[in-house]
Amino acid sequence: TLYYNNAAKLATTNTGIDVTGTAVTDNAVISGYMDFQTGGATKGNIYTDASTMIINTQGTNTTLNTNGGNVGIGTSSPSAKLHVQSASSGGTASGNADELILEGSGNTGLTILSGATSLGNLFFADSGDTADGFVQYDQSGRSMRFGTAATERMRIDSSGNTFFKGSATSNQLLLGVDNSNIFLRSAG
C-alpha cells in the first residue's frame, strides 16, 4: 500500500489494484472491464469485444461500434450511424434510409417537440437548398403544411380543410367537408 499524507492512495488486492483519488496517466492500457462504483456498488462499466466498445450504465447498454462507426442504444449490433432499439422488430432497414433507425417490436415513433407558438419541422435538403421539401406543423395555427421545391403546396388547417397550393388565399383550391358533404372550390 502506498500512502500520501498518511492516507492510503494505491493498494494491491487479490483482483488488481485500488486507487483512491484521481489517477492521471499519459497512456493507459486497460484489458477487460473498467467498472465505475459508488459506495462499493457498480453503477456502470466500459468494455470492449473485438471491434465494439460497450458503455453499460446500470444494465442499459450503449454500443459504440468502432469497426463501422455506428452507435447503438439498446442494441449491441447497430445497423445505422445511430440505431435506437427498444425491442427487435425482426425487420431490416433499406440501404437508402439507414443513417438513423428507430426500432421497436410494437408501436414505434419519433416526436418533434416545439414551442406553443413555434413550428415543428422535417426538412429535406440538398447542396442547393436547406428546405427543398418539408413537412411543417404550425403550433399557433394548428395546421400541417407540406412543401416541395421550397414552396408550400398543401395545408391542412385546424378544421380539417385541405388547401392545395398553400393557405386560404385567392387562386387556391380547397377540399373540405361541410354537413357531411365533400366539396371542392376556389379558396379565398
Side-chain angles (χ1 to χ4, degrees):
T1 301
L2 295 176
Y3 292 85
Y4 177 78
N5 283 345
N6 293 323
K9 296 296 180 180
L10 180 68
T12 58
T13 67
N14 63 344
T15 58
I17 61 169
D18 285 338
V19 176
T20 303
T22 303
V24 178
T25 179
D26 289 334
N27 187 11
V29 176
I30 298 171
S31 179
Y33 284 76
M34 181 171 30
D35 287 331
F36 298 92
Q37 297 184 350
T38 301
T42 299
K43 298 296 182 179
N45 53 47
I46 298 175
Y47 61 96
T48 63
D49 64 4
S51 63
T52 304
M53 176 181 281
I54 293 124
I55 301 169
N56 183 337
T57 55
Q58 296 186 344
T60 302
N61 285 343
T62 300
T63 303
L64 304 175
N65 186 326
T66 55
N67 187 25
N70 296 336
V71 175
I73 299 173
T75 177
S76 60
S77 55
S79 302
K81 293 297 179 191
L82 178 57
H83 188 166
V84 180
Q85 180 182 26
S86 60
S88 176
S89 67
T92 303
S94 165
N96 292 322
D98 64 351
E99 284 71 28
L100 169 65
I101 297 174
L102 305 177
E103 182 177 7
S105 61
N107 296 334
T108 304
L110 170 70
T111 300
I112 298 173
L113 299 171
S114 55
T117 59
S118 302
L119 302 173
N121 297 296
L122 175 60
F123 291 151
F124 301 90
D126 58 30
S127 61
D129 199 321
T130 58
D132 195 36
F134 60 87
V135 177
Q136 185 178 71
Y137 186 77
D138 179 356
Q139 295 284 1
S140 61
R142 301 189 71 176
S143 64
M144 181 74 74
R145 304 168 184 174
F146 300 87
T148 61
T151 305
E152 183 179 338
R153 304 297 182 178
M154 184 175 78
R155 180 182 299 196
I156 303 171
D157 71 11
S158 61
S159 298
N161 294 319
T162 303
F163 298 89
F164 296 93
K165 295 186 93 179
S167 61
T169 60
S170 60
N171 299 320
Q172 306 300 323
L173 185 62
L174 168 65
L175 174 64
V177 177
D178 186 17
N179 296 324
S180 300
N181 296 314
I182 297 175
F183 62 87
L184 182 65
R185 63 180 160 99
S186 176

